[in-house]
Amino acid sequence: MRTATRRSPFADAQAALGAVVEPRGDWELVASYGDEDAERALLREAVAVADITCRAKVDVRGRVDAALAVAGDSFVARIAADWALVLGEPGDEASIASRLQAAARDDAMVTDVTHLYGGFALAGPGLPELLARLTSWDPASLAPGSATGAPIADVRMVLARRDLEVPVLEAYAATELSRYAWETILGVVRALGGGPVGWNALRSTGWR
C-alpha cells in the first residue's frame, strides 16, 4: 500500500479542525471533518470552503489548442488564448502533462505546477456574499467554465468558475501565501454561517 507523502501547506490547521484524511495517489487529502451530512447541508444552504490543493495542476502556455484537445476528463481552466491550467485527480499530474506535451509537440510549453499552488473550492448559495467580502473583483464578469486572474483576500489567484449543482469557484494561490489565504477565507466563511467541507461533500455537488 502506498503511503501518502504530500500534504497541504495548511494541513496542521485542518487537523486542529478535526479533519479526517485519506490517501489519494501520493497525497493526503481531507475527506471530511467528521459530519458529511452537515457539510453537504452547508453546500446546499449556506457557504463552504474546501482544500483542493492536492488537485493535479498542469500549466499550458503557447499555442495550446492541440494540447487541450486531449485533456480528456480533466477540467480545463482557460485563462487566455495562450494560457490554460488543466486540473485533474490527485496524483495524475505526470500522466496529464505527458499526454498534453505529446499532443502539443513544440507548439506549447507544458509544466506540472501542482506543487506551486494551494487550492480552494468556495461553494454554496452564499458564494456571492462571500466574494463581496473578500474581493473588489466582479465575479459576474467570469462565465461558467472560464478562468481568470484576480485577488481574493488580497492574494492574487487563478480563479475558475464551475457550472454545477451549487455555485463553485476554484481558487489557486501561490503555495507560500496559501495558509494565510485559507485562514482569511475560512474566517469570512464562518462569519456568514458556513464552514469547511471535505472532498466527499464537495463531490456530492457534481464537482470533479
Side-chain angles (χ1 to χ4, degrees):
M1 180 176 176
R2 195 177 201 183
T3 301
T5 57
R6 303 171 75 182
R7 304 171 74 221
S8 166
F10 39 93
D12 55 343
Q14 294 175 337
L17 296 172
V20 177
V21 299
E22 294 179 357
R24 193 69 54 86
D26 59 355
W27 280 92
E28 189 177 79
L29 64 76
V30 176
S32 76
Y33 290 89
D35 188 342
E36 291 181 24
D37 288 340
E39 292 170 36
R40 286 191 288 270
L42 288 178
L43 288 164
R44 291 192 310 268
E45 302 166 10
V47 67
V49 58
D51 175 12
I52 56 172
T53 297
C54 57
R55 204 141 155 64
K57 311 174 198 75
V58 178
D59 187 279
V60 187
R61 304 197 190 208
R63 294 194 291 274
V64 303
D65 290 342
L68 301 185
V70 299
D73 293 335
S74 301
F75 175 66
V76 176
R78 189 72 176 259
I79 302 161
D82 59 353
W83 180 20
L85 197 61
V86 179
L87 305 162
E89 292 293 310
D92 284 356
E93 52 269 16
S95 61
I96 293 171
S98 177
R99 184 169 71 249
L100 268 55
Q101 188 63 75
R105 298 179 181 269
D106 296 327
D107 290 337
M109 181 170 66
V110 178
T111 309
D112 173 11
V113 294
T114 302
H115 64 293
L116 297 181
Y117 292 101
F120 316 91
L122 315 179
L127 179 59
E129 187 174 357
L130 174 65
L131 293 175
R133 297 192 184 195
L134 287 171
T135 181
S136 59
W137 167 71
D138 180 8
S141 64
L142 189 63
S146 299
T148 191
I152 300 290
D154 294 323
V155 175
R156 190 73 178 176
M157 300 192 188
V158 174
L159 307 175
R161 181 177 168 187
R162 308 296 302 275
D163 191 11
L164 304 172
E165 293 179 10
V166 299
V168 177
L169 185 73
E170 295 188 29
Y172 297 94
T175 297
E176 63 270 20
L177 299 174
S178 60
R179 184 185 177 105
Y180 163 79
W182 167 263
E183 292 173 349
T184 302
I185 293 169
L186 180 59
V188 179
V189 165
R190 283 180 156 165
L192 292 172
V197 300
W199 277 57
N200 291 346
L202 188 61
R203 294 283 203 198
S204 73
T205 69
W207 179 85
R208 297 290 183 272

